[in-house]
C-alpha cells in the first residue's frame, strides 16, 4: 500500500486515495497552533492554512490533536457548503487522483462508504466509469437504487454485507 506517489501501472502495490482526507493526514513538519481565531467573510470557502501533508501513525495523531486546539487533521465530512479549514491544495490533489483512479479502473470496490448522491465528487466519477462496481455494505439498498437511477445497475454488484466476509472475495477480485 502507498499513499503517494501513485504506484507504477501493473505493480502489485495499491494506492491509497482518500478524497475526503483522513484522521491520519497531518501537517508535514512541526506545527503548533493554539488560541487562534480565524475571521472570514460570510460565504467564504477559502481555507485558512495550506502546506504539505503526510500520513501519520495513530500515536502521532493523538499527540497532534492533544497539542493543537486550532487545526484538526486534514479531513472533511460531507455537508452542504462545507469548507476545508486547511490543506486545500492537498485535498484537491486527493480528489483529482480519486477521479483519475476511478476513470482508469476495471473494478471498483466500494467499502464502508455511505451513499450520498449530493457528494458529487465521489459518486459522479463512479457513475461515469465503465468499471464493474462491487459493494460491501450491510444495507446496500441506497447504493443499488442510485445505480438503477443512473442506469448503471447492470455493472453494480453486492459483494458482501460485511468486511469480514468480503476479505476473501476482495482478494479474489484483485488476484492476490
Amino acid at each position: 500500500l502507498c499513499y503517494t506517489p501513485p504506484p507504477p501501472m501493473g505493480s502489485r502495490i495499491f494506492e491509497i486515495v482518500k478524497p475526503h482526507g483522513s484522521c491520519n493526514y497531518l501537517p508535514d513538519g512541526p506545527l503548533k497552533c493554539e488560541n487562534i481565531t480565524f475571521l472570514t467573510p460570510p460565504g467564504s470557502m477559502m481555507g485558512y492554512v495550506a502546506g504539505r501533508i503526510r500520513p501519520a501513525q495513530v500515536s502521532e495523531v493523538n499527540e497532534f490533536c492533544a497539542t493543537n486546539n486550532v487545526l484538526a487533521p486534514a479531513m472533511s465530512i460531507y455537508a452542504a457548503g462545507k469548507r476545508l479549514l486547511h490543506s486545500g491544495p492537498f485535498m484537491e490533489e486527493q480528489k483529482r487522483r480519486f477521479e483519475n483512479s476511478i476513470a482508469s479502473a476495471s473494478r471498483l470496490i466500494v467499502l464502508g462508504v455511505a451513499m450520498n448522491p449530493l457528494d458529487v465528487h465521489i459518486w459522479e466519477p463512479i457513475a461515469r466509469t465503465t468499471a464493474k462496481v462491487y459493494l460491501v455494505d450491510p444495507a446496500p439498498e441506497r447504493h443499488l437504487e442510485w445505480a438503477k437511477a443512473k442506469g448503471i445497475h447492470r455493472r453494480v454488484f453486492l459483494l458482501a454485507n460485511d468486511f469480514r466476509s468480503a476479505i476473501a472475495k476482495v482478494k479474489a477480485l484483485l488476484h492476490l
Side-chain angles (χ1 to χ4, degrees), residues 8-138:
M9 288 296 288
S11 78
R12 294 182 57 85
I13 298 171
F14 294 91
E15 180 180 16
I16 302 294
V17 179
K18 299 178 179 181
H20 285 143
S22 177
C23 63
N24 75 316
Y25 283 173
L26 298 181
D28 190 10
L31 175 68
K32 184 168 176 134
C33 294
E34 292 183 305
N35 304 318
I36 297 172
T37 301
F38 295 104
L39 301 174
T40 56
S44 172
M45 296 303 285
M46 182 185 249
Y48 299 126
V49 180
R52 293 177 49 92
I53 298 295
R54 66 179 177 81
Q57 299 297 318
V58 171
S59 60
E60 296 173 277
V61 173
N62 290 339
E63 174 68 17
F64 177 83
C65 291
T67 60
N68 287 276
N69 68 4
V70 175
L71 293 178
M75 59 188 286
S76 60
I77 299 171
Y78 178 81
K82 70 181 172 192
R83 83 182 291 162
L84 184 64
L85 298 180
H86 67 93
S87 309
F90 174 82
M91 296 298 287
E92 288 302 318
E93 175 65 10
Q94 288 291 299
K95 288 179 191 176
R96 187 190 64 73
R97 287 173 52 199
F98 175 78
E99 289 178 7
N100 291 343
S101 295
I102 297 297
S104 65
S106 60
R107 297 174 304 264
L108 300 175
I109 301 168
V110 177
L111 176 79
V113 181
M115 167 49 68
N116 183 348
L118 298 176
D119 206 355
V120 295
H121 70 272
I122 300 296
W123 297 106
E124 287 305 312
I126 293 173
R128 287 190 305 266
T129 186
T130 58
K132 290 182 179 177
V133 179
Y134 298 92
L135 304 172
V136 178
D137 195 314

Side-chain angles (χ1 to χ4, degrees), residues 132-162:
K132 290 182 179 177
V133 179
Y134 298 92
L135 304 172
V136 178
D137 195 314
E141 294 78 16
R142 290 193 69 202
H143 289 90
L144 297 171
E145 289 168 9
W146 170 83
K148 189 168 186 174
K150 289 291 186 179
I152 63 169
H153 59 283
R154 288 186 176 84
R155 59 180 178 79
V156 176
F157 309 95
L158 178 62
L159 185 65
N161 290 105
D162 62 81

